[in-house]
Amino acid sequence: MTLIGVVVIAVALIAVITLAKAVRIVPQQRQDVVERLGKYKRTLSPGLNLLVPFIDAVRTKVDMREQVVSFPPQPVITSDNLVVSIDTVLYFKVVDSVRATYEISSFLQAIEQLTVTTLRNVIGSLDLERALTSRDEINRHLSGVLDETTGRWGIKVTRVEIKAIEPPASIRDSMEKQMRAERDRRAAILTAEGHKQSVILTAEGDKQSAVLRADGDRQARILQAEGQAKAIRTVFDAIHQANPSQKVLAYQYLQALPQIAQGSANKVWIVPAELTKALEGMGGALGGLSQMVGDLPAPEAADQASQVEREAAEAAQAAADAAQQIHDEVRVAEAQATGGNKPQGLPAPEPVSPASLVEDPADRRERG
């Protein structure tokens, strides 16, 4: 009984082991390479697969998914003899499990060494500045070389990325100083541009203000000139409409003459010799007011006429004084101009009394 039980147990154990070696379940995105008696037989696809026990054996289990490998930093010398440390990241996938198994012993190690050598060749032809700014170009070149080489191994390199390029510490300090100087330069340029724009805007504002101020002054002067012209036109029209006689004009001249002589700017006057005669003529005109046709005063205006005569006499006296003062100033000016010599100017006018200015010309003709 004991021997039979042992045999049954052994047979059952052998059956279980045989069944376990005959049945193989392969998961998705994986391929198993099967050898029969040491020779490649077939590749197991995902799912349930049956093998010949103790004859077929699984050589490798190949993952068909895309894989990511990060290689350790590698020292690389640039064309300007600077040693930089470069980290790379590689993306690849196995497209042929049989070739990846039998064409190369360790495709991952082979890819790493190929990446390092290719990277040194590419970086060795570039200087540091170009290497730092040409990552896309380096990535494309590495990807092309690796894909061409690993194609015969049944591997597809999908992407190569330069993770970091670390220059020496001294170079980093120099680069930081250069970047700081560049930032300072840009800041100075921006400040200068801002100041320039501010000055331009201020000048434009001053220009517009000056233009508007000048335009306002021009408009004000035009309006003032138009107002003066209108006032002169109104006075002129009023004078012509009133049709004043010669006596009124003479009387107004006598009233304005002292005011002309009192001007602060009237330093020198040129007095004609006929001034006294003109004053005599105006006096005669004033004296003969009562004899002019159409100008006889009404009885009720006798007091007003006497008042007018008094004012005319006072105006004549003031005119005579002003004429004498002007004549004296002219003599003094001529003496100063000739250096003390006897002036060769105008002859002295005959003295005129204020009464003669208002005397009746008819009375003078009778006395004459």
Side-chain angles (χ1 to χ4, degrees):
M1 289 294 297
T2 303
L3 181 60
I4 296 173
V6 173
V7 172
V8 171
I9 293 174
V11 171
L13 184 59
I14 292 173
V16 172
I17 295 174
T18 302
L19 183 61
K21 287 186 173 292
V23 177
R24 178 70 62 176
I25 299 176
V26 180
Q28 186 68 29
Q29 290 295 330
R30 198 185 79 180
Q31 291 183 355
D32 294 349
V33 178
V34 177
E35 293 180 350
R36 179 171 291 179
L37 301 177
K39 183 180 180 181
Y40 171 74
K41 178 62 178 177
R42 63 191 177 111
T43 301
L44 300 180
S45 59
L48 181 62
N49 297 273
L50 298 177
L51 301 177
V52 177
F54 306 105
I55 296 177
D56 295 340
V58 176
R59 169 69 182 271
T60 56
K61 299 176 182 180
V62 181
D63 191 351
M64 305 301 293
R65 295 174 298 179
E66 186 173 3
Q67 302 180 40
V68 181
V69 180
S70 178
F71 300 132
Q74 300 293 330
V76 180
I77 301 177
T78 61
S79 61
D80 49 356
N81 297 325
L82 293 176
V83 179
V84 294
S85 179
I86 300 179
D87 295 345
T88 55
V89 179
L90 181 67
Y91 297 82
F92 72 95
K93 64 184 299 185
V94 178
V95 295
D96 191 344
S97 58
V98 177
R99 296 172 63 182
T101 302
Y102 294 103
E103 293 293 335
I104 190 168
S105 61
S106 177
F107 62 84
L108 187 59
Q109 184 180 2
I111 292 175
E112 179 182 0
Q113 296 300 321
L114 182 61
T115 303
V116 171
T117 55
T118 306
L119 186 62
R120 288 178 177 176
N121 292 333
V122 174
I123 298 298
S125 61
L126 304 175
D127 55 6
L128 178 61
E129 184 176 359
R130 188 177 176 186
L132 293 174
T133 58
S134 303
R135 293 193 178 188
D136 293 338
E137 182 181 354
I138 297 173
N139 293 336
R140 287 194 299 269
H141 188 75
L142 286 175
S143 180
V145 173
L146 292 176
D147 188 39
E148 181 181 0
T149 305
T150 58
R152 63 175 182 269
W153 301 338
I155 298 173
K156 172 68 175 178
V157 177
T158 57
R159 190 183 184 94
V160 179
E161 291 290 340
I162 301 296
K163 186 167 62 173
I165 299 177
E166 296 292 337
S170 58
I171 301 300
R172 287 199 301 268
D173 294 340
S174 300
M175 293 173 62
E176 290 177 359
K177 292 180 181 179
Q178 182 179 1
M179 293 174 62
R180 190 179 302 110
E182 182 66 20
R183 292 192 186 96
D184 294 340
R185 184 183 67 86
R186 292 179 181 178
I189 291 175
L190 292 177
T191 303
E193 288 290 337
H195 181 68
K196 174 183 176 183
Q197 293 296 329
S198 176
V199 172
I200 291 175
L201 293 177
T202 303
E204 288 291 337
D206 294 341
K207 174 184 175 183
Q208 294 180 4
S209 176
V211 170
L212 294 177
R213 192 181 299 108
D215 186 68
D217 294 340
R218 181 178 65 86
Q219 294 292 336
R221 292 180 181 179
I222 290 175
L223 294 177
Q224 184 178 5
E226 291 179 354
Q228 293 178 356
K230 187 175 180 180
I232 293 172
R233 190 180 300 110
T234 302
V235 173
F236 184 78
D237 293 340
I239 292 174
H240 278 274
Q241 290 178 3
N243 192 15
S245 61
Q246 294 295 328
K247 60 182 182 178
V248 176
L249 297 177
Y251 178 66
Q252 292 293 331
Y253 179 78
L254 288 176
Q255 287 183 340
L257 187 59
Q259 298 178 359
I260 297 175
Q262 292 177 1
S264 60
N266 299 330
K267 301 302 181 182
V268 179
W269 285 76
I270 305 300
V271 181
E274 292 81 3
L275 177 60
T276 57
K277 295 181 179 180
L279 294 175
E280 290 178 358
M282 287 184 290
L286 293 174
L289 292 177
S290 61
Q291 299 179 2
M292 295 179 65
V293 179
D295 291 335
L296 293 177
E300 61 274 9
D303 295 337
Q304 297 180 358
S306 60
Q307 181 68 25
V308 171
E309 290 179 358
R310 286 194 300 272
E311 293 180 357
E314 294 175 358
Q317 180 64 37
D321 296 340
Q324 185 63 34
Q325 182 180 0
I326 293 171
H327 179 70
D328 296 340
E329 293 179 358
V330 170
R331 289 299 182 181
V332 173
E334 289 180 353
Q336 293 178 356
T338 55
N341 297 328
K342 184 178 181 180
Q344 302 295 328
L346 299 174
E350 297 178 359
V352 180
S353 62
S356 64
L357 295 177
V358 296
E359 185 180 4
D360 190 357
D363 294 342
R364 289 201 307 270
R365 286 195 300 269
E366 289 178 359
R367 288 197 304 268

